[in-house]
Amino acid sequence: MDVPLATGLAWAGVWVWHRWILGHRTRGPLALAKVPQVLGTAVGLVIGLGSSTTALGMLFERAIGTGGELAVIGVPWWRATLGLLVWAVGGILICWWHWVREGTRKLHTTLSGVSLVVIGIGGSAILALGGAGVLLFVLLRLALDRTDPVPVLLEPAPEALAAALLGTLSWLYHARIARGRPAPVPVAAGLAISGIVLAAAASGIGVVVNAALATGTTQLGGTDARELLLAGLSSLAIGGPLWWFTWHPTRPSDPQGRRIYLVLIFGISAVVALVTLLVIGFRLFEFMLGDAAGSGLLERVRAPLGLLVATGLVAGYHFALWRHARVSAPVPEAEAASGTERKRGIREVVLVAGADAEELASAIRDHTGATVTILRRQHAPGGTPGPAQLFRVLEGVEAERVLLLAGPEDSLEVIELAAETRRRA
């Protein structure tokens, strides 16, 4: 007790000292001053969510009667749960302090957006989907595979149920926050979820192929083909519909973000497929030089072969979409109808607009190839200028930098800016 208390007091003193330095008027940092708030929110969320999930899982174990083994060795079941609850409360307090009191939820910096997407949405989604997949696997085994006793089958269910519940709540909350953030946070959040559920669906396909190949081998021990098949179907049933819902294959949107996503997913899939091919080659070489008492060739390669099939499908699909996006000319319909050519003289546009800023910015990028910076009006004017009107206004502009004011109503005003010059100190 003395050592943990002394350690806690020492680190608490370090934290208080740095907090004082952070808020000091003359000694506080000028750059990256908001990084501690973002990191504190992320650390508190991870600690609070992880501890809460484990504690709730232990309570569910007691409720269904699968966690009574600890009483045999004289350890009360509530002691470990109480310790986890202390960690959970501490993590939640840390997260709340930085998120609410320090104003992290109102930050619109790049780091805060990355933390929100990666940890708040991505981490919560992985926790929720993992718990839901395990829970579905347990239900399928109860219905179709009774090779083990019911208490053994139910053993993963309590913690999986806790993970699914708490992960879903955290996911929904952070997704609602992301929808209110400026671009590109909402698009990045949707693509992150699409990538996570795609990984779940691809893993399910790989495991199903592994189970199908396992039927042609002699099982001497370990996981049988039926259990593998149910695990793969669980992952596929969770990831497949959610991927269709989040990716919208038949309803493309945000071409720029989707192109980056396609290249990223294709690259990762290609690397995984290449590594899997090397593993299969090694297994084949090992089989050719191995002893006769070893396992057969199919038994050696069925797991990497299933992964190769899944990653091959993912890589092929996304490569085809990427090729189709490159072949399809990203020219707006109004521009194609008017017969105007894409203007290349403008390199930078500062757009001041209301709620339709993203649509106008996308049209400007396609028409000029310029970099667009969006400044939103505090009071958005009514009316929406059309792309055809936008192209006509930009037709005679020769400057490289342009300020474009959209509104009020459907008016558009272009101000040509001087070229940016860099001064030497």
mmCIF file of all heavy atoms in Angstrom, residues 79-104:
data_model
loop_
_atom_site.group_PDB
_atom_site.id
_atom_site.type_symbol
_atom_site.label_atom_id
_atom_site.label_comp_id
_atom_site.label_asym_id
_atom_site.label_seq_id
_atom_site.Cartn_x
_atom_site.Cartn_y
_atom_site.Cartn_z
ATOM 1 N N ARG A 79 -14.239 -7.591 -5.055
ATOM 2 C CA ARG A 79 -13.028 -6.807 -4.820
ATOM 3 C C ARG A 79 -12.396 -6.351 -6.140
ATOM 4 O O ARG A 79 -12.032 -5.181 -6.310
ATOM 5 C CB ARG A 79 -12.035 -7.623 -3.995
ATOM 6 C CG ARG A 79 -10.772 -6.854 -3.650
ATOM 7 C CD ARG A 79 -9.886 -7.643 -2.725
ATOM 8 N NE ARG A 79 -10.551 -7.918 -1.449
ATOM 9 C CZ ARG A 79 -10.002 -8.639 -0.475
ATOM 10 N NH1 ARG A 79 -8.810 -9.187 -0.642
ATOM 11 N NH2 ARG A 79 -10.650 -8.824 0.653
ATOM 12 N N ALA A 80 -12.262 -7.287 -7.060
ATOM 13 C CA ALA A 80 -11.694 -6.920 -8.360
ATOM 14 C C ALA A 80 -12.613 -5.956 -9.109
ATOM 15 O O ALA A 80 -12.147 -5.012 -9.769
ATOM 16 C CB ALA A 80 -11.447 -8.170 -9.197
ATOM 17 N N THR A 81 -13.909 -6.166 -8.986
ATOM 18 C CA THR A 81 -14.859 -5.266 -9.652
ATOM 19 C C THR A 81 -14.785 -3.861 -9.077
ATOM 20 O O THR A 81 -14.828 -2.862 -9.813
ATOM 21 C CB THR A 81 -16.282 -5.813 -9.510
ATOM 22 O OG1 THR A 81 -16.332 -7.162 -9.984
ATOM 23 C CG2 THR A 81 -17.264 -4.974 -10.299
ATOM 24 N N LEU A 82 -14.648 -3.775 -7.750
ATOM 25 C CA LEU A 82 -14.539 -2.464 -7.121
ATOM 26 C C LEU A 82 -13.270 -1.740 -7.557
ATOM 27 O O LEU A 82 -13.273 -0.527 -7.814
ATOM 28 C CB LEU A 82 -14.564 -2.618 -5.599
ATOM 29 C CG LEU A 82 -14.558 -1.319 -4.778
ATOM 30 C CD1 LEU A 82 -15.779 -0.482 -5.116
ATOM 31 C CD2 LEU A 82 -14.510 -1.636 -3.289
ATOM 32 N N GLY A 83 -12.159 -2.482 -7.650
ATOM 33 C CA GLY A 83 -10.926 -1.866 -8.130
ATOM 34 C C GLY A 83 -11.057 -1.340 -9.550
ATOM 35 O O GLY A 83 -10.577 -0.245 -9.871
ATOM 36 N N LEU A 84 -11.734 -2.107 -10.414
ATOM 37 C CA LEU A 84 -11.948 -1.645 -11.779
ATOM 38 C C LEU A 84 -12.867 -0.432 -11.838
ATOM 39 O O LEU A 84 -12.687 0.462 -12.680
ATOM 40 C CB LEU A 84 -12.524 -2.789 -12.612
ATOM 41 C CG LEU A 84 -11.555 -3.920 -12.950
ATOM 42 C CD1 LEU A 84 -12.299 -5.100 -13.552
ATOM 43 C CD2 LEU A 84 -10.483 -3.430 -13.922
ATOM 44 N N LEU A 85 -13.844 -0.391 -10.939
ATOM 45 C CA LEU A 85 -14.739 0.769 -10.899
ATOM 46 C C LEU A 85 -13.980 2.036 -10.501
ATOM 47 O O LEU A 85 -14.273 3.133 -10.995
ATOM 48 C CB LEU A 85 -15.892 0.517 -9.927
ATOM 49 C CG LEU A 85 -16.967 -0.458 -10.412
ATOM 50 C CD1 LEU A 85 -18.015 -0.674 -9.329
ATOM 51 C CD2 LEU A 85 -17.630 0.047 -11.691
ATOM 52 N N VAL A 86 -13.001 1.897 -9.593
ATOM 53 C CA VAL A 86 -12.184 3.053 -9.226
ATOM 54 C C VAL A 86 -11.417 3.565 -10.450
ATOM 55 O O VAL A 86 -11.359 4.775 -10.713
ATOM 56 C CB VAL A 86 -11.220 2.674 -8.091
ATOM 57 C CG1 VAL A 86 -10.231 3.806 -7.826
ATOM 58 C CG2 VAL A 86 -11.996 2.360 -6.819
ATOM 59 N N TRP A 87 -10.824 2.642 -11.223
ATOM 60 C CA TRP A 87 -10.134 3.037 -12.459
ATOM 61 C C TRP A 87 -11.105 3.678 -13.448
ATOM 62 O O TRP A 87 -10.767 4.656 -14.119
ATOM 63 C CB TRP A 87 -9.476 1.818 -13.097
ATOM 64 C CG TRP A 87 -8.151 1.472 -12.503
ATOM 65 C CD1 TRP A 87 -7.906 0.615 -11.467
ATOM 66 C CD2 TRP A 87 -6.880 1.997 -12.912
ATOM 67 N NE1 TRP A 87 -6.568 0.565 -11.199
ATOM 68 C CE2 TRP A 87 -5.906 1.399 -12.072
ATOM 69 C CE3 TRP A 87 -6.470 2.889 -13.878
ATOM 70 C CZ2 TRP A 87 -4.554 1.674 -12.187
ATOM 71 C CZ3 TRP A 87 -5.120 3.183 -14.004
ATOM 72 C CH2 TRP A 87 -4.179 2.581 -13.171
ATOM 73 N N ALA A 88 -12.302 3.100 -13.546
ATOM 74 C CA ALA A 88 -13.281 3.635 -14.494
ATOM 75 C C ALA A 88 -13.692 5.057 -14.117
ATOM 76 O O ALA A 88 -13.759 5.952 -14.970
ATOM 77 C CB ALA A 88 -14.503 2.724 -14.552
ATOM 78 N N VAL A 89 -13.961 5.284 -12.832
ATOM 79 C CA VAL A 89 -14.348 6.623 -12.386
ATOM 80 C C VAL A 89 -13.211 7.614 -12.610
ATOM 81 O O VAL A 89 -13.421 8.752 -13.060
ATOM 82 C CB VAL A 89 -14.778 6.588 -10.914
ATOM 83 C CG1 VAL A 89 -14.981 7.992 -10.373
ATOM 84 C CG2 VAL A 89 -16.057 5.785 -10.752
ATOM 85 N N GLY A 90 -11.983 7.175 -12.308
ATOM 86 C CA GLY A 90 -10.843 8.059 -12.541
ATOM 87 C C GLY A 90 -10.677 8.422 -14.001
ATOM 88 O O GLY A 90 -10.441 9.591 -14.343
ATOM 89 N N GLY A 91 -10.799 7.432 -14.891
ATOM 90 C CA GLY A 91 -10.686 7.717 -16.317
ATOM 91 C C GLY A 91 -11.789 8.628 -16.825
ATOM 92 O O GLY A 91 -11.538 9.546 -17.625
ATOM 93 N N ILE A 92 -13.015 8.403 -16.347
ATOM 94 C CA ILE A 92 -14.130 9.246 -16.774
ATOM 95 C C ILE A 92 -13.945 10.683 -16.285
ATOM 96 O O ILE A 92 -14.233 11.651 -17.013
ATOM 97 C CB ILE A 92 -15.456 8.649 -16.269
ATOM 98 C CG1 ILE A 92 -15.741 7.327 -16.978
ATOM 99 C CG2 ILE A 92 -16.609 9.615 -16.486
ATOM 100 C CD1 ILE A 92 -16.924 6.574 -16.428
ATOM 101 N N LEU A 93 -13.443 10.850 -15.059
ATOM 102 C CA LEU A 93 -13.198 12.190 -14.543
ATOM 103 C C LEU A 93 -12.114 12.911 -15.346
ATOM 104 O O LEU A 93 -12.239 14.108 -15.640
ATOM 105 C CB LEU A 93 -12.801 12.116 -13.064
ATOM 106 C CG LEU A 93 -13.929 11.827 -12.069
ATOM 107 C CD1 LEU A 93 -13.374 11.693 -10.660
ATOM 108 C CD2 LEU A 93 -14.994 12.913 -12.129
ATOM 109 N N ILE A 94 -11.047 12.185 -15.691
ATOM 110 C CA ILE A 94 -9.984 12.796 -16.504
ATOM 111 C C ILE A 94 -10.531 13.222 -17.857
ATOM 112 O O ILE A 94 -10.262 14.329 -18.346
ATOM 113 C CB ILE A 94 -8.816 11.810 -16.670
ATOM 114 C CG1 ILE A 94 -8.119 11.573 -15.332
ATOM 115 C CG2 ILE A 94 -7.816 12.314 -17.704
ATOM 116 C CD1 ILE A 94 -7.069 10.490 -15.382
ATOM 117 N N CYS A 95 -11.310 12.327 -18.476
ATOM 118 C CA CYS A 95 -11.886 12.648 -19.784
ATOM 119 C C CYS A 95 -12.841 13.828 -19.682
ATOM 120 O O CYS A 95 -12.794 14.747 -20.505
ATOM 121 C CB CYS A 95 -12.599 11.411 -20.336
ATOM 122 S SG CYS A 95 -13.313 11.636 -21.972
ATOM 123 N N TRP A 96 -13.700 13.834 -18.663
ATOM 124 C CA TRP A 96 -14.667 14.941 -18.507
ATOM 125 C C TRP A 96 -13.962 16.256 -18.251
ATOM 126 O O TRP A 96 -14.354 17.308 -18.770
ATOM 127 C CB TRP A 96 -15.617 14.625 -17.352
ATOM 128 C CG TRP A 96 -16.544 15.751 -17.028
ATOM 129 C CD1 TRP A 96 -17.723 16.054 -17.637
ATOM 130 C CD2 TRP A 96 -16.344 16.745 -16.011
ATOM 131 N NE1 TRP A 96 -18.275 17.177 -17.067
ATOM 132 C CE2 TRP A 96 -17.455 17.624 -16.068
ATOM 133 C CE3 TRP A 96 -15.353 16.975 -15.067
ATOM 134 C CZ2 TRP A 96 -17.580 18.702 -15.212
ATOM 135 C CZ3 TRP A 96 -15.473 18.056 -14.213
ATOM 136 C CH2 TRP A 96 -16.580 18.910 -14.294
ATOM 137 N N TRP A 97 -12.910 16.237 -17.431
ATOM 138 C CA TRP A 97 -12.208 17.471 -17.094
ATOM 139 C C TRP A 97 -11.625 18.127 -18.339
ATOM 140 O O TRP A 97 -11.757 19.339 -18.548
ATOM 141 C CB TRP A 97 -11.102 17.166 -16.082
ATOM 142 C CG TRP A 97 -10.324 18.384 -15.683
ATOM 143 C CD1 TRP A 97 -9.192 18.871 -16.267
ATOM 144 C CD2 TRP A 97 -10.630 19.285 -14.614
ATOM 145 N NE1 TRP A 97 -8.770 20.008 -15.638
ATOM 146 C CE2 TRP A 97 -9.630 20.293 -14.617
ATOM 147 C CE3 TRP A 97 -11.636 19.340 -13.660
ATOM 148 C CZ2 TRP A 97 -9.624 21.327 -13.693
ATOM 149 C CZ3 TRP A 97 -11.628 20.377 -12.744
ATOM 150 C CH2 TRP A 97 -10.632 21.344 -12.770
ATOM 151 N N HIS A 98 -10.966 17.334 -19.163
ATOM 152 C CA HIS A 98 -10.353 17.902 -20.363
ATOM 153 C C HIS A 98 -11.390 18.175 -21.452
ATOM 154 O O HIS A 98 -11.266 19.148 -22.196
ATOM 155 C CB HIS A 98 -9.272 16.964 -20.903
ATOM 156 C CG HIS A 98 -8.073 16.848 -20.014
ATOM 157 N ND1 HIS A 98 -7.980 15.901 -19.020
ATOM 158 C CD2 HIS A 98 -6.925 17.567 -19.961
ATOM 159 C CE1 HIS A 98 -6.822 16.035 -18.399
ATOM 160 N NE2 HIS A 98 -6.168 17.031 -18.944
ATOM 161 N N TRP A 99 -12.380 17.324 -21.570
ATOM 162 C CA TRP A 99 -13.366 17.442 -22.647
ATOM 163 C C TRP A 99 -14.328 18.601 -22.417
ATOM 164 O O TRP A 99 -14.641 19.352 -23.348
ATOM 165 C CB TRP A 99 -14.121 16.127 -22.773
ATOM 166 C CG TRP A 99 -15.118 16.057 -23.880
ATOM 167 C CD1 TRP A 99 -16.472 16.049 -23.766
ATOM 168 C CD2 TRP A 99 -14.851 15.965 -25.281
ATOM 169 N NE1 TRP A 99 -17.069 15.952 -24.992
ATOM 170 C CE2 TRP A 99 -16.098 15.901 -25.949
ATOM 171 C CE3 TRP A 99 -13.687 15.924 -26.038
ATOM 172 C CZ2 TRP A 99 -16.193 15.797 -27.327
ATOM 173 C CZ3 TRP A 99 -13.796 15.827 -27.413
ATOM 174 C CH2 TRP A 99 -15.030 15.762 -28.042
ATOM 175 N N VAL A 100 -14.775 18.755 -21.161
ATOM 176 C CA VAL A 100 -15.773 19.784 -20.849
ATOM 177 C C VAL A 100 -15.120 21.017 -20.235
ATOM 178 O O VAL A 100 -15.248 22.133 -20.741
ATOM 179 C CB VAL A 100 -16.860 19.212 -19.916
ATOM 180 C CG1 VAL A 100 -17.885 20.288 -19.560
ATOM 181 C CG2 VAL A 100 -17.561 18.030 -20.583
ATOM 182 N N ARG A 101 -14.408 20.814 -19.128
ATOM 183 C CA ARG A 101 -13.838 21.960 -18.416
ATOM 184 C C ARG A 101 -12.760 22.673 -19.223
ATOM 185 O O ARG A 101 -12.704 23.908 -19.239
ATOM 186 C CB ARG A 101 -13.251 21.482 -17.082
ATOM 187 C CG ARG A 101 -14.289 20.979 -16.097
ATOM 188 C CD ARG A 101 -14.931 22.099 -15.340
ATOM 189 N NE ARG A 101 -13.967 22.872 -14.574
ATOM 190 C CZ ARG A 101 -14.276 23.899 -13.803
ATOM 191 N NH1 ARG A 101 -15.542 24.286 -13.698
ATOM 192 N NH2 ARG A 101 -13.343 24.563 -13.140
ATOM 193 N N GLU A 102 -11.890 21.914 -19.874
ATOM 194 C CA GLU A 102 -10.807 22.511 -20.653
ATOM 195 C C GLU A 102 -11.237 22.887 -22.072
ATOM 196 O O GLU A 102 -10.468 23.502 -22.809
ATOM 197 C CB GLU A 102 -9.619 21.564 -20.719
ATOM 198 C CG GLU A 102 -9.027 21.203 -19.375
ATOM 199 C CD GLU A 102 -8.325 22.383 -18.714
ATOM 200 O OE1 GLU A 102 -7.925 23.293 -19.443
ATOM 201 O OE2 GLU A 102 -8.186 22.385 -17.476
ATOM 202 N N GLY A 103 -12.425 22.495 -22.468
ATOM 203 C CA GLY A 103 -12.963 22.916 -23.764
ATOM 204 C C GLY A 103 -12.448 22.154 -24.965
ATOM 205 O O GLY A 103 -12.460 22.689 -26.082
ATOM 206 N N THR A 104 -12.016 20.882 -24.765
ATOM 207 C CA THR A 104 -11.511 20.120 -25.908
ATOM 208 C C THR A 104 -12.603 19.853 -26.940
ATOM 209 O O THR A 104 -12.326 19.789 -28.140
ATOM 210 C CB THR A 104 -10.919 18.781 -25.422
ATOM 211 O OG1 THR A 104 -9.971 19.038 -24.390
ATOM 212 C CG2 THR A 104 -10.228 18.044 -26.557
#
